[in-house]
Amino acid sequence: MTTQTVSPSAPARPRAAGLRARWVVLCFALLLLAVVAGVAVGPVSLPLQNVALSLVNHIPGVDVDTGLSDTQNAIIWKLRLPRVVLALLVGAMLSMAGGCYQGVFRNPLADPMLLGVAAGAGLGATFFIIARAHGAKLDPHLLPLASFLGGIVALTATYLLGTSGGKRRRGTVTLVLAGVAVSSFLTAVQTFVQQRNIDTIESVYSWLLGRISLADWQDVYLLLPYAAVTAVVVLIRRRELDVLSVGDDEASALGLHPQSVRLILLAVASLATAAAVSVSGLIGFVGIVVPHIVRLLAGRSYRSILPLSMLVGAIFLIVADLAARTVVAPAELPIGVVTAFVGAPFFVLVMRTSHEASP
């Protein structure tokens, strides 16, 4: 068995690496194009080439004439670019978390929103906002930590409820139902808490509806450390998800500790989700749509799925935000509505084919 597993994989490695490199180059090119388009398009249209020159002009040692006025530069650097960068980070983190959950649970329907993590993170953030509104001296930078604790509680409840029967082969359906139940319960708790604290409803709901439209550089700086730490840990340990996919017994025989790996990756993915939710509000379906698209295009190895999911997730959310502010202009759609338009039909498709698409 061991010989059969190792021998075919050896000649396939160069081909996988070449394919991965091509996808990375393509994704980076599309990401740069999405960033430029996201900055250029808006109520005040800006030429794409001038926006690109303005971005390049901020590289140390580069000094070019952008052809833009001071007002136009202010629009780019104070209004639009923080929003685009925040969408980039949030999309990358939610996609990475979704890929991790799918690999850890070996379940194609695992997703930060469907497993109740986002609802738990939202409840934790709600308690934090209410506590600060009532005079608690809490550092605003601790909001992601409060979201993280809520997300961990929700994920634990979902996992225990979804596996309580001991029939792990039913996990695809049972885990999703458990996540729906936990999400519904936590949402009810959140509604109850909000009704008991009417004075904070506006702050909480403005957060729940998504804050990308109100993004500034402070939000980016708040999220960036969490994004960097979680991305580094996940990318370093992404090979272990490939080992877990062959089964716990085989992984243990190869020197891996399956439970420890799952615990670490679940904690990191939950922290990424909670941090993203804390600055952007609830944005659904990103974590399930993007990893599946990457899996269909670039193969089933998590060595490729996770880094490419981060890039594609960043592109996806930038484009979704661009659609949110242009489809019904001059009005603006919540970005969660746009992701739901794409994600809901995709989720139905995955449910119908989950027996064939399990990671």
Side-chain angles (χ1 to χ4, degrees), residues 2-51:
T2 305
T3 305
Q4 291 177 351
T5 303
V6 174
S7 59
S9 63
R13 282 178 185 169
R15 189 184 312 163
L19 176 64
R20 197 157 53 242
R22 290 195 294 270
W23 282 116
V24 168
V25 171
L26 176 62
C27 287
F28 267 114
L30 292 176
L31 180 59
L32 290 174
L33 180 61
V35 169
V36 173
V39 173
V41 177
V44 178
S45 296
L46 301 173
L48 288 175
Q49 65 272 18
N50 295 87
V51 170

Side-chain angles (χ1 to χ4, degrees), residues 10 12 27 44 49 72 99 102 130 134 150 155 162-163 179 181 184 202 234-235 268 276-277 287 325 354:
C27 287
V44 178
Q49 65 272 18
Q72 290 173 321
Q102 291 172 20
I130 290 173
H134 286 79
L155 179 64
T163 59
S184 299
E202 183 178 354
V234 167
L235 292 179
V268 173
V277 166
R325 51 191 163 103
S354 59

Side-chain angles (χ1 to χ4, degrees), residues 91-113 115 234-235 237-242 244-245 265-266 268-270 272-273 285-295 299-310 313 357-359:
M93 294 174 73
L94 292 179
S95 301
M96 177 189 70
C100 275
Y101 287 136
Q102 291 172 20
V104 167
F105 289 113
R106 285 183 283 176
N107 189 319
L109 300 179
D111 171 76
M113 303 296 164
L115 293 179
V234 167
L235 292 179
R237 308 196 69 132
R238 69 189 189 276
R239 295 173 182 267
E240 297 173 358
L241 286 174
D242 286 332
L244 288 179
S245 66
L265 290 175
L266 283 176
V268 173
S270 298
T273 300
F285 294 104
V286 178
I288 193 171
V289 170
V290 173
H292 274 281
I293 293 175
V294 172
R295 187 177 290 109
R300 294 176 176 270
S301 172
Y302 284 93
R303 289 176 295 176
S304 299
I305 289 174
L306 291 177
L308 289 178
S309 290
M310 295 175 64
S358 57

Side-chain angles (χ1 to χ4, degrees), residues 100 103-106 155-156 159-160 163 168 237 240-241 243-245 247-253 255-268:
C100 275
V104 167
F105 289 113
R106 285 183 283 176
L155 179 64
T156 302
Y159 183 77
L160 293 176
T163 59
R168 294 179 180 271
R237 308 196 69 132
E240 297 173 358
L241 286 174
V243 180
L244 288 179
S245 66
D248 287 3
D249 293 339
E250 290 82 355
S252 298
L256 203 66
H257 300 282
Q259 296 304 322
S260 299
V261 172
R262 286 194 179 93
L263 182 62
I264 292 172
L265 290 175
L266 283 176
V268 173

Side-chain angles (χ1 to χ4, degrees), residues 60-82:
V62 177
D63 186 12
V64 296
D65 182 14
T66 64
L68 298 174
S69 66
D70 291 341
T71 301
Q72 290 173 321
N73 276 308
I75 291 173
I76 292 174
W77 291 95
K78 294 183 179 180
L79 297 179
R80 294 186 186 171
L81 191 59

